[in-house]
Amino acid sequence: MPVQPTEWIWMNGEFVPWKEAKIHVLSHVIHYGTSVFEGIRCYETAKGSQVLRLRDHIRRLFDSAKIYRMEIPYSIDDYCEICLEVIRRNKMEACYIRPVVYRGYGDVGVNPFGCPVETAVAVWDWGAYLGPEALAKGVDACVSTWSRMAPNTLPAMAKCAANYMNSQLIKMEALMGGYVEGIALDVNGSVSEGSGENIFVIRNGTVYTPSLNHSVLPGITRDGVLTLLQKELHKEIRHQAIPREMLYIADEIFFAGTAAEITPVATVDRLPVGAGRRGPVTEAVQKRYLEIVTGRAEDIYNWLTPVRS
Ligand code: PPE
């Protein structure tokens, strides 16, 4: 389904109507992928709309920009406020927020320095990322024939648009094969991440997730899941290299991401994961995550920022 337009997009300091939020075809970003971005969710709660982990996402946006030597002409706090204002202007309750920082029109050629750093924030309504039944039933995933970017090529810790060309190869291959999502291995053959999610693997009560040297995005949802697993479920967690075959013998696997939230993996390469449905650890994490973000439980970790105070 195509994206449903909202009214206003914030671009370089002003609000422009959705249809007029355009860039020149010779903008550096179009030719060389020069963009870093974020994806943030705003939830409707009993206490009004609340943005999940706003400052953490905007900090990562600034980190991504720093890695690519793009200077954002705002402070982190100002940028957070801009995101909130975009939600208010569009009179949204629950929505997805997409801040993007890119090199615009100026010079041509690989050298980015002659192109201005521009920035925009859009919001729209975004439902279940991996399908309407994914959260309860889990999804069918495959191991991709495409590896995730090698270390010291495209930096995985930067959420850069160019990384998503790799994600697209993984995603398209999965969809063409009849799967919902693909799991990439890193260049050494260890599990890395999904095309748009981090991954958690559970066996005998121990939780495994790839450490950051396996070409994974340092996910904010991943961080929240680790908090819940450690502080509330008292699980032993191992950040380590995960061999592919661990996926086949796992008791539970789930994806974690802003868009995907906590999505169980039902099968990998057509082999059932555990009983082939959402397992108990996944269910417990998912329940706590969703009850906190939707305001049904107290926000004890200070994850939420009110949109209208
Ligand atoms: N890895 C990748 C490659 C990734 O794209 C995401 C988020 C994550 C991990 C999880 O990160 P976090 O959202 O901070 O927990 N993917 C975003 C974009 C998806 C898209 O299709 O666009 C998202 O979930 O918003």
Side-chain angles (χ1 to χ4, degrees), residues 90-141:
N90 284 294
K91 301 182 183 70
M92 298 295 279
E93 298 301 332
C95 61
Y96 186 83
I97 310 157
R98 172 55 55 83
V100 56
V101 176
Y102 57 93
R103 293 265 186 192
Y105 174 83
D107 207 351
V108 286
V110 169
N111 173 7
F113 290 128
C115 298
V117 173
E118 302 186 355
T119 172
V121 180
V123 298
W124 63 82
D125 189 14
W126 218 9
Y129 185 64
L130 296 175
E133 296 194 316
L135 291 181
K137 292 208 163 150
V139 293
D140 296 320

Coordinates of all heavy atoms in Angstrom, one line a residue, residues 90-141:
N90 N 1.0 18.2 12.1 CA 0.2 17.2 11.2 C -0.9 16.6 12.0 O -1.6 15.7 11.5 CB 1.1 16.1 10.7 CG 2.0 16.7 9.5 OD1 1.5 17.0 8.5 ND2 3.3 16.8 9.8
K91 N -1.1 17.1 13.3 CA -2.2 16.6 14.1 C -2.2 15.0 14.2 O -3.3 14.4 14.1 CB -3.5 17.1 13.6 CG -3.6 18.6 13.6 CD -5.0 19.1 13.2 CE -5.0 20.7 13.1 NZ -4.2 21.2 12.0
M92 N -1.1 14.4 14.3 CA -1.0 13.0 14.3 C -1.1 12.5 15.8 O -0.6 13.2 16.7 CB 0.3 12.5 13.7 CG 0.5 12.8 12.2 SD -0.7 12.0 11.2 CE 0.0 10.4 11.0
E93 N -1.6 11.3 15.9 CA -1.6 10.7 17.2 C -0.5 9.6 17.2 O 0.6 9.9 17.6 CB -3.0 10.0 17.6 CG -4.1 11.0 17.6 CD -3.9 12.1 18.7 OE1 -3.2 11.9 19.7 OE2 -4.4 13.2 18.5
A94 N -0.7 8.4 16.7 CA 0.3 7.5 16.5 C 0.9 7.7 15.1 O 0.2 8.0 14.1 CB -0.2 6.1 16.6
C95 N 2.2 7.6 15.0 CA 2.8 7.8 13.6 C 4.3 7.3 13.6 O 4.8 6.9 14.7 CB 2.8 9.2 13.2 SG 3.7 10.4 14.2
Y96 N 4.9 7.2 12.5 CA 6.3 6.9 12.3 C 6.9 8.2 11.9 O 6.4 9.0 11.1 CB 6.4 5.9 11.2 CG 7.8 5.3 11.0 CD1 8.3 4.3 11.8 CD2 8.6 5.8 9.9 CE1 9.5 3.8 11.6 CE2 9.8 5.2 9.7 CZ 10.3 4.2 10.5 OH 11.6 3.7 10.3
I97 N 8.1 8.5 12.4 CA 8.8 9.7 12.2 C 10.1 9.4 11.4 O 10.9 8.5 11.8 CB 9.2 10.4 13.6 CG1 8.0 10.5 14.5 CG2 9.8 11.8 13.3 CD1 8.3 10.6 15.9
R98 N 10.3 10.1 10.4 CA 11.5 9.8 9.5 C 12.3 11.1 9.4 O 12.1 11.9 8.4 CB 11.0 9.3 8.2 CG 12.1 9.2 7.1 CD 13.3 8.3 7.4 NE 13.0 7.0 7.9 CZ 12.8 5.9 7.1 NH1 12.8 6.0 5.8 NH2 12.6 4.7 7.7
P99 N 13.3 11.3 10.3 CA 14.3 12.4 10.0 C 15.3 11.9 9.0 O 15.8 10.8 9.1 CB 14.9 12.6 11.4 CG 14.2 11.7 12.4 CD 13.5 10.7 11.5
V100 N 15.7 12.8 8.1 CA 16.7 12.4 7.1 C 17.7 13.6 6.9 O 17.3 14.8 6.9 CB 16.1 11.9 5.8 CG1 15.1 12.9 5.2 CG2 17.1 11.5 4.8
V101 N 19.0 13.3 6.9 CA 20.0 14.3 6.7 C 20.8 13.9 5.4 O 21.2 12.8 5.3 CB 21.0 14.4 7.9 CG1 22.1 15.4 7.6 CG2 20.2 14.8 9.1
Y102 N 20.9 14.8 4.4 CA 21.4 14.4 3.2 C 22.2 15.5 2.5 O 22.1 16.7 2.9 CB 20.3 13.9 2.2 CG 19.3 15.0 2.0 CD1 19.4 15.9 0.9 CD2 18.2 15.1 2.8 CE1 18.4 16.9 0.7 CE2 17.3 16.1 2.7 CZ 17.4 17.0 1.6 OH 16.4 18.0 1.4
R103 N 23.1 15.2 1.6 CA 23.8 16.2 0.8 C 22.9 16.5 -0.4 O 22.5 15.7 -1.2 CB 25.1 15.6 0.3 CG 26.1 15.3 1.4 CD 27.0 16.5 1.6 NE 28.1 16.1 2.6 CZ 28.9 17.0 3.1 NH1 28.8 18.3 2.8 NH2 29.8 16.7 4.0
G104 N 22.7 17.8 -0.6 CA 21.8 18.3 -1.6 C 22.5 18.7 -2.9 O 23.6 18.1 -3.3
Y105 N 22.0 19.7 -3.6 CA 22.4 20.1 -4.9 C 23.6 21.1 -4.8 O 23.5 22.0 -4.0 CB 21.3 20.7 -5.6 CG 21.6 21.4 -7.0 CD1 21.7 20.6 -8.1 CD2 21.8 22.8 -7.0 CE1 22.0 21.2 -9.3 CE2 22.1 23.4 -8.3 CZ 22.2 22.6 -9.4 OH 22.5 23.2 -10.6
G106 N 24.6 20.9 -5.5 CA 25.7 21.9 -5.5 C 26.7 21.5 -6.6 O 26.6 21.8 -7.7
D107 N 27.7 20.7 -6.1 CA 28.7 20.2 -7.1 C 28.3 18.8 -7.5 O 27.4 18.1 -7.0 CB 30.0 20.1 -6.3 CG 31.2 20.3 -7.2 OD1 31.0 20.2 -8.5 OD2 32.3 20.4 -6.7
V108 N 29.0 18.3 -8.6 CA 28.8 16.9 -9.0 C 30.2 16.2 -8.7 O 31.2 16.8 -8.6 CB 28.4 16.7 -10.4 CG1 26.9 17.0 -10.6 CG2 29.2 17.4 -11.4
G109 N 30.1 14.9 -8.7 CA 31.4 14.1 -8.4 C 31.3 13.5 -7.0 O 30.5 14.0 -6.1
V110 N 32.2 12.5 -6.7 CA 32.1 11.8 -5.4 C 32.4 12.8 -4.3 O 31.7 12.7 -3.2 CB 33.1 10.7 -5.4 CG1 33.3 10.1 -4.0 CG2 32.7 9.6 -6.4
N111 N 33.3 13.6 -4.4 CA 33.7 14.6 -3.3 C 32.4 15.3 -2.8 O 31.8 16.1 -3.5 CB 34.7 15.6 -3.8 CG 35.0 16.7 -2.8 OD1 34.5 16.6 -1.6 ND2 35.7 17.7 -3.2
P112 N 32.0 15.0 -1.6 CA 30.7 15.6 -1.1 C 30.8 17.0 -0.6 O 29.8 17.6 -0.4 CB 30.3 14.6 0.1 CG 31.7 14.2 0.6 CD 32.6 14.1 -0.5
F113 N 32.0 17.5 -0.3 CA 32.1 18.7 0.4 C 31.5 19.9 -0.2 O 31.2 20.9 0.5 CB 33.6 18.9 0.8 CG 34.1 17.9 1.8 CD1 35.3 17.2 1.6 CD2 33.5 17.7 3.0 CE1 35.8 16.3 2.5 CE2 33.9 16.8 3.9 CZ 35.1 16.1 3.7
G114 N 31.4 19.9 -1.5 CA 30.7 21.1 -2.2 C 29.2 21.0 -2.2 O 28.6 21.9 -2.8
C115 N 28.6 20.1 -1.5 CA 27.2 19.9 -1.5 C 26.6 20.2 -0.1 O 27.1 19.7 0.8 CB 26.7 18.6 -2.0 SG 27.3 18.2 -3.7
P116 N 25.6 21.0 -0.1 CA 25.1 21.4 1.2 C 24.5 20.3 2.0 O 23.9 19.4 1.4 CB 24.0 22.5 0.9 CG 23.6 22.1 -0.5 CD 24.8 21.6 -1.2
V117 N 24.6 20.3 3.3 CA 23.9 19.3 4.2 C 22.5 19.8 4.4 O 22.3 20.9 4.9 CB 24.7 19.1 5.5 CG1 23.9 18.2 6.4 CG2 26.1 18.5 5.2
E118 N 21.5 19.0 4.0 CA 20.1 19.4 4.2 C 19.4 18.4 5.1 O 19.9 17.3 5.3 CB 19.5 19.5 2.8 CG 20.2 20.5 1.9 CD 19.5 20.8 0.6 OE1 18.5 20.2 0.3 OE2 20.1 21.7 -0.1
T119 N 18.3 18.9 5.6 CA 17.6 17.9 6.5 C 16.1 18.1 6.5 O 15.6 19.2 6.2 CB 18.2 18.1 8.0 OG1 17.5 17.4 8.9 CG2 18.3 19.6 8.4
A120 N 15.5 17.0 6.7 CA 14.0 17.0 6.6 C 13.4 16.0 7.7 O 14.1 15.1 8.1 CB 13.5 16.6 5.3
V121 N 12.2 16.3 8.1 CA 11.5 15.3 9.0 C 10.1 15.2 8.4 O 9.4 16.2 8.2 CB 11.4 15.9 10.4 CG1 10.6 14.9 11.3 CG2 12.8 16.2 11.0
A122 N 9.7 13.9 8.1 CA 8.3 13.6 7.7 C 7.7 12.7 8.7 O 8.4 12.0 9.4 CB 8.4 13.0 6.3
V123 N 6.4 12.7 8.8 CA 5.7 11.7 9.6 C 4.6 11.1 8.8 O 4.0 11.7 7.9 CB 5.1 12.3 10.9 CG1 6.2 12.9 11.8 CG2 4.1 13.4 10.6
W124 N 4.3 9.8 9.1 CA 3.1 9.2 8.4 C 2.7 8.0 9.3 O 3.3 7.7 10.3 CB 3.5 8.7 7.0 CG 4.6 7.6 7.0 CD1 4.4 6.3 7.1 CD2 6.0 7.8 6.7 NE1 5.6 5.6 7.0 CE2 6.6 6.6 6.7 CE3 6.8 9.0 6.4 CZ2 8.0 6.4 6.5 CZ3 8.1 8.8 6.2 CH2 8.7 7.5 6.2
D125 N 1.6 7.5 8.9 CA 1.0 6.4 9.7 C 1.6 5.1 9.2 O 1.6 4.9 8.0 CB -0.5 6.4 9.4 CG -1.3 5.5 10.2 OD1 -0.7 5.0 11.2 OD2 -2.5 5.2 9.9
W126 N 2.2 4.3 10.0 CA 2.9 3.1 9.6 C 2.4 1.9 10.5 O 2.8 1.9 11.6 CB 4.4 3.2 9.5 CG 5.0 2.5 8.3 CD1 4.3 1.9 7.3 CD2 6.4 2.3 8.1 NE1 5.2 1.4 6.4 CE2 6.5 1.6 6.8 CE3 7.6 2.6 8.8 CZ2 7.7 1.2 6.3 CZ3 8.8 2.2 8.2 CH2 8.9 1.5 7.0
G127 N 1.7 1.0 9.9 CA 1.2 -0.1 10.7 C 2.2 -1.2 10.9 O 3.4 -1.0 10.9
A128 N 1.7 -2.5 10.9 CA 2.6 -3.6 11.2 C 3.6 -3.8 10.0 O 3.2 -4.0 8.9 CB 1.8 -4.9 11.4
Y129 N 4.9 -3.8 10.3 CA 5.9 -3.8 9.3 C 6.1 -5.1 8.6 O 6.3 -5.1 7.4 CB 7.2 -3.4 10.0 CG 8.5 -3.2 9.2 CD1 8.6 -2.2 8.2 CD2 9.6 -4.1 9.4 CE1 9.7 -2.0 7.5 CE2 10.7 -3.9 8.6 CZ 10.8 -2.9 7.7 OH 11.9 -2.7 7.0
L130 N 5.9 -6.2 9.3 CA 6.1 -7.5 8.7 C 4.8 -8.3 8.5 O 4.7 -9.5 8.5 CB 7.1 -8.3 9.5 CG 8.5 -7.7 9.5 CD1 9.4 -8.6 10.5 CD2 9.2 -7.7 8.1
G131 N 3.7 -7.5 8.4 CA 2.4 -8.1 8.1 C 1.5 -8.1 9.4 O 2.0 -8.0 10.5
P132 N 0.2 -8.1 9.2 CA -0.7 -8.0 10.3 C -0.7 -9.0 11.4 O -1.0 -8.8 12.5 CB -2.1 -7.9 9.6 CG -1.9 -8.5 8.2 CD -0.5 -8.2 7.9
E133 N -0.3 -10.2 11.0 CA -0.3 -11.3 12.0 C 1.1 -11.6 12.5 O 1.3 -12.5 13.4 CB -0.9 -12.6 11.3 CG -2.3 -12.4 10.9 CD -2.9 -13.7 10.6 OE1 -2.3 -14.6 9.9 OE2 -4.1 -14.0 11.0
A134 N 2.1 -10.9 12.1 CA 3.5 -11.2 12.4 C 3.7 -11.2 13.9 O 4.4 -12.1 14.4 CB 4.4 -10.2 11.7
L135 N 3.2 -10.2 14.6 CA 3.5 -10.1 16.1 C 3.0 -11.3 16.9 O 3.7 -11.7 17.8 CB 2.9 -8.8 16.7 CG 3.5 -7.5 16.2 CD1 2.7 -6.3 16.9 CD2 5.0 -7.4 16.4
A136 N 1.9 -11.9 16.5 CA 1.4 -13.0 17.2 C 1.9 -14.3 16.7 O 2.3 -15.2 17.4 CB -0.1 -13.0 17.2
K137 N 1.9 -14.4 15.4 CA 2.2 -15.8 14.8 C 3.7 -16.0 14.4 O 4.1 -17.1 14.2 CB 1.3 -15.9 13.5 CG -0.1 -16.1 13.8 CD -0.9 -16.9 12.8 CE -2.2 -17.4 13.3 NZ -3.2 -17.5 12.2
G138 N 4.4 -14.9 14.2 CA 5.7 -15.0 13.7 C 5.8 -15.0 12.2 O 4.8 -15.1 11.5
V139 N 7.0 -14.9 11.7 CA 7.2 -14.8 10.3 C 8.2 -15.9 9.8 O 9.0 -16.4 10.6 CB 7.8 -13.4 9.9 CG1 6.8 -12.3 10.1 CG2 9.2 -13.1 10.6
D140 N 8.1 -16.2 8.5 CA 9.0 -17.1 7.9 C 10.2 -16.3 7.4 O 10.0 -15.4 6.6 CB 8.3 -17.8 6.7 CG 7.1 -18.7 7.2 OD1 7.2 -19.3 8.2 OD2 6.0 -18.6 6.5
A141 N 11.3 -16.8 7.8 CA 12.6 -16.1 7.4 C 13.5 -17.0 6.7 O 13.4 -18.3 6.8 CB 13.3 -15.4 8.6

